Amino acid sequence: MRIHFAKHHATGRAVPLEVKDRPPFTQEATGALVVVADQAWRVEPLVQHFMARFEVTEPKARELVAGYPHHRVHTHGRPGDA
């Protein structure tokens, strides 16, 4: 599996992300981070950020968020997990 790294917007730490983009606001994207300019955001804080930054409604902010790649955090399973 290929991974890439982005800086978490709140902590500044590098986060390993799966390269595969997930469809926004779907079950497949549950737990995914949204990558904006090499920064990884959780969905809700990014929606709030866009609402404040661009002075838009929540539906419009969600529409903007949907336009960015959604990637799941890469994790290694524990030994014995199937």
Side-chain angles (χ1 to χ4, degrees):
M1 172 174 295
R2 294 184 39 195
I3 63 170
H4 70 273
F5 291 86
K7 185 189 304 187
H8 193 280
H9 85 282
T11 65
R13 293 184 176 187
V15 179
L17 302 169
E18 296 176 357
V19 170
K20 182 179 178 186
D21 191 12
R22 307 297 172 157
F25 305 111
T26 63
Q27 186 172 355
E28 186 180 355
T30 300
L33 297 177
V34 183
V35 178
V36 179
D38 294 327
Q39 287 191 344
W41 292 74
R42 288 185 304 119
V43 171
E44 290 307 316
L46 184 57
V47 168
Q48 295 295 320
H49 174 74
F50 280 177
M51 288 173 63
R53 174 79 171 97
F54 300 117
E55 298 179 356
V56 295
T57 63
E58 183 175 347
K60 180 60 179 175
R62 289 186 174 281
E63 183 182 320
L64 292 170
V65 168
Y68 288 92
H70 289 58
H71 298 280
R72 289 203 296 208
V73 175
H74 177 72
T75 59
H76 292 277
R78 290 176 286 176
D81 286 351

